[in-house]
Amino acid sequence: RDATHETKDVACTLNLVFDIRDNELNLCVHMRSNDIFFGFSYDVPFFCFLQQYVYLKLKETYPELLLGKYTHFVNSLHVYRRNYEVAVKCMNGCLSNRKIPAVTEKTLDEILLFLEYEQAKRTMGVDLDTGITDPYLKYMKEGLEGENK
């Protein structure tokens, strides 16, 4: 926790373990707690991105390396009462079957454009035309725009 700011929030991520087994880079994440809407739904895509980022960086030194498994353990996975109706609706079919595109070298090349877009969206509510062409970052941008339903 940040000792300079009073907060009820306690870190939920306990640890991340990267390992290489059978020439595959695996990532195992252990969470203390995850709210299904505002924790899990952001944490899993971020940690998968992180795994793919590390994989691409390691591939520069280990070209035969393969992307392995992602495992996500949660001690307390929950839905808050305020989100119960939305949870029931999602269980009845509002979830998307879209696949998240893979992270590539192009993703890494355009990540600063995405961060510029995200900051403008978050701080000023402005949609910048940043020229993002990478499929993964376009998917994430659509999520910020509320189009990934």
Side-chain angles (χ1 to χ4, degrees):
R1 277 205 271 193
D2 182 350
T4 62
H5 295 87
E6 192 65 35
T7 180
K8 293 181 181 181
D9 288 336
V10 176
C12 295
T13 307
L14 296 175
N15 59 50
L16 282 74
V17 177
F18 288 92
D19 64 35
I20 297 174
R21 297 289 183 266
D22 298 322
N23 202 41
E24 293 182 345
L25 177 68
N26 303 301
L27 173 58
C28 181
V29 174
H30 185 191
M31 306 292 291
R32 175 188 61 78
S33 179
N34 257 163
D35 162 48
I36 197 76
F37 287 100
F38 300 107
F40 185 83
S41 62
Y42 290 94
D43 289 342
V44 170
F46 171 73
F47 291 132
C48 287
F49 170 84
L50 186 61
Q51 179 187 17
Q52 292 177 67
Y53 176 83
V54 170
Y55 164 71
L56 289 172
K57 289 300 182 183
L58 286 173
K59 237 176 129 53
E60 294 170 6
T61 305
Y62 306 101
E64 302 300 316
L65 186 64
L66 301 171
L67 186 62
K69 294 177 185 163
Y70 173 80
T71 306
H72 194 89
F73 289 104
V74 182
N75 288 65
S76 172
L77 183 64
H78 52 271
V79 175
Y80 290 112
R81 288 177 198 228
R82 67 180 177 264
N83 302 119
Y84 182 76
E85 286 182 34
V86 175
V88 170
K89 187 176 180 181
C90 286
M91 288 187 303
N92 290 325
C94 77
L95 298 175
S96 170
N97 289 328
R98 281 180 67 186
K99 290 192 174 195
I100 299 173
V103 173
T104 65
E105 291 293 337
K106 187 174 188 177
T107 310
L108 303 183
D109 292 342
E110 294 186 2
I111 192 75
L112 293 178
L113 293 174
F114 177 77
L115 293 175
E116 181 182 323
Y117 168 82
E118 185 277 333
Q119 182 179 22
K121 179 83 170 170
R122 180 174 34 86
T123 60
M124 299 178 284
V126 175
D127 287 326
L128 293 180
D129 181 10
T130 56
I132 293 171
T133 60
D134 174 70
Y136 177 85
L137 294 175
K138 284 172 76 171
Y139 179 88
M140 297 305 287
K141 186 174 179 255
E142 289 170 4
L144 289 175
E145 295 166 351
E147 294 176 14
N148 285 345
K149 296 180 181 161

